[in-house]
Amino acid sequence: MTKLTELTIEKAKAGLQKKEFSAVELAQAHLDAMAKNRDLNAYIVETPEIALAQAAAADKNGNKGLLGGIPIAVKDLFCTKGVHSQSCSKILKDFKPGYESTVTANMFAQGAVMLGKTNMDEMAMGSGNLNSCYGAVLNPWDKERVPGGSSGGSAAAVSANLALAALGSDTGGSIRQPAAFVGITGMKPTYGRCSRWGMIAFASSLDQAGPMAKTVKDTAILLQAIAGYDAKDSTSTNLALPDFVKAASDINIKGKKIGIPKEYRVEGTPQEITELWDKGAKLLKEAGAEIVEISLPHSKYALPCYYIIAPAEASSNLARYDGVRYGLRVDGNTLDEMYENTRAEGFGAEVKRRIMIGTYVLSAGYFDAYYKKAQRVRYLIAQDFINAFEKVDAILTPTTPTEAFKINEKVKDPITMYLNDLFTVAASLAGLPSLALPIGLSKNGLPLGLQLITGTLQEEKLFNIAGALEQAANFTARPAI
Ligand code: GLN
């Protein structure tokens, strides 16, 4: 029999319904696996008491709900009531929120079991999980490599079978890029699908919660559970939710048009990435889709545009950490000195860099040249997608420009690190749903993935096409841990 930790959500739900095992047994199997794999540093806090109590309650209740009895890992930036929620920043030292984020509350209302909080780049800023105040996460495929970021702990946990699925957040690629680096499926919904209430903010016009799981269908199940309108988030979409799970089960893509953006053929991209991309297009074609070359002329500006807008919003959001209301306080002789000491000690180098860039691009004299121009470019990028989706149903691109890199490879060079987000930031700037899934292995035996993007609120189409690609690619490799 398959080990309980190797199941998908779909199979675990079936097993629970047939009473082949209980939710308590399923939770315990994961807690045991977590204890054996602490070297990965995927979880920064384990919550066995909560997990076992929730699992016992789910069993008692017949494991009802979309996630009845299903063990899930939660990224540390989601506020969980009474439980460590620090966005892996020292500035939020000992912070235990008095309230629950909407997405975790939704998940619990559907019967989910929380295993613990996962490691991440501080304040979700990074692409290697190297900026966490709790240290690096090891990639289960090769412990000398990063699992990607910022949702690196969530990615490693799912990949190493330390959770059936995990919650992540994506501002410029933080669900999709780590999913690609560890060979799992990650999905960023349309901006507004999931409430941001109770998510520790990075860049509010970009931040979205989303699922990370072992299969396309499992991401659909988790999204179904967490998404929906929330009056507490003014940017939340007030529309009835489609049936994502049904969409992921329908994998007929006959006649669907898939766009290949010619501008994404970036010079210097490793051949194995280009080959993987061609393979993905071929598989979709064989499954009945039509492949169409398209143009996204402004996509070359997406990365610089993102690295102006995201830090600008971060500099504003992070102004709240002043040592007065919550988290760390480092005293000084005056109030100003206390602010300075607290922020100097509480934030790591990358967060400070973003605050400085953000403050600079918003300052009088530079606002027009940088921030305002970036907002205009953002509009053009979004418009490119609107034009493209008049011709095609979805767009296919690589998820990352490389395989997972070594832990010490890029730390000293922030620009090289930012280049990781080359293929993911455009969909974020345009607010579009996007899904990353594993397709093959690199020469070094590491997972490589492709990304699908659809039009706004077109998650059903996204799951449909992703389901077809998943079946055609049949990626079954697992890390040897
Ligand atoms: N890697 C990107 C950054 O550092 C994206 C992060 C994210 O999506 N949270 O900003």
Side-chain angles (χ1 to χ4, degrees), residues 159-231:
S159 161
N161 291 331
L162 311 182
L164 289 187
L167 284 186
S169 73
D170 191 309
T171 305
S174 277
I175 288 177
R176 293 161 284 159
Q177 186 257 11
F181 274 11
V182 303
I184 64 163
T185 303
M187 194 263 180
K188 181 195 91 71
T190 304
Y191 181 79
R193 267 293 187 215
C194 294
S195 169
R196 287 182 295 109
W197 199 78
M199 269 171 84
I200 297 169
F202 163 12
S204 305
S205 77
L206 296 155
D207 295 344
Q208 257 303 285
M212 304 175 80
K214 296 174 188 171
T215 63
V216 172
K217 188 126 171 230
D218 280 6
T219 58
I221 297 171
L222 185 48
L223 180 64
Q224 197 85 48
I226 62 173
Y229 175 65
D230 178 14

Side-chain angles (χ1 to χ4, degrees), residues 3 15 53 96 103 110 130-131 159 187 207 209 213 279 360 457 479:
K3 278 210 247 154
K96 292 201 170 78
V103 291
Q110 292 294 335
L130 297 169
N131 302 328
S159 161
M187 194 263 180
D207 295 344
K279 178 182 164 190
Y360 181 80
L457 299 169

Side-chain angles (χ1 to χ4, degrees), residues 133-174:
C133 78
Y134 296 98
V137 176
L138 314 186
N139 188 325
W141 291 77
D142 174 351
K143 292 183 180 174
E144 285 182 8
R145 293 177 191 263
V146 302
S150 64
S151 310
S154 287
V158 175
S159 161
N161 291 331
L162 311 182
L164 289 187
L167 284 186
S169 73
D170 191 309
T171 305
S174 277

Side-chain angles (χ1 to χ4, degrees), residues 307-382:
Y307 275 99
I308 291 173
I309 291 173
E313 294 184 17
S315 74
S316 162
N317 272 328
L318 270 51
R320 75 190 64 170
Y321 303 108
D322 54 9
V324 175
R325 285 159 291 189
Y326 32 60
L328 182 78
R329 173 182 297 185
V330 182
D331 285 329
N333 293 325
T334 62
L335 182 62
D336 279 351
E337 227 179 82
M338 188 277 284
Y339 292 155
E340 283 169 15
N341 292 347
T342 301
R343 289 170 67 86
E345 194 172 321
F347 290 131
E350 181 61 26
V351 172
K352 283 179 186 156
R353 184 178 297 124
R354 306 272 180 124
I355 293 174
M356 285 189 275
I357 295 171
T359 309
Y360 181 80
V361 300
L362 288 173
S363 58
Y366 295 105
F367 181 90
D368 283 359
Y370 293 106
Y371 183 72
K372 199 161 155 196
K373 197 179 258 176
Q375 288 290 20
R376 289 183 166 162
V377 173
R378 181 180 191 174
Y379 176 83
L380 295 173
I381 290 167

Side-chain angles (χ1 to χ4, degrees), residues 234-250:
S234 62
T235 60
S236 156
T237 303
N238 193 355
L239 286 174
L241 281 189
D243 191 336
F244 299 132
V245 185
K246 184 160 158 256
S249 315
D250 163 25

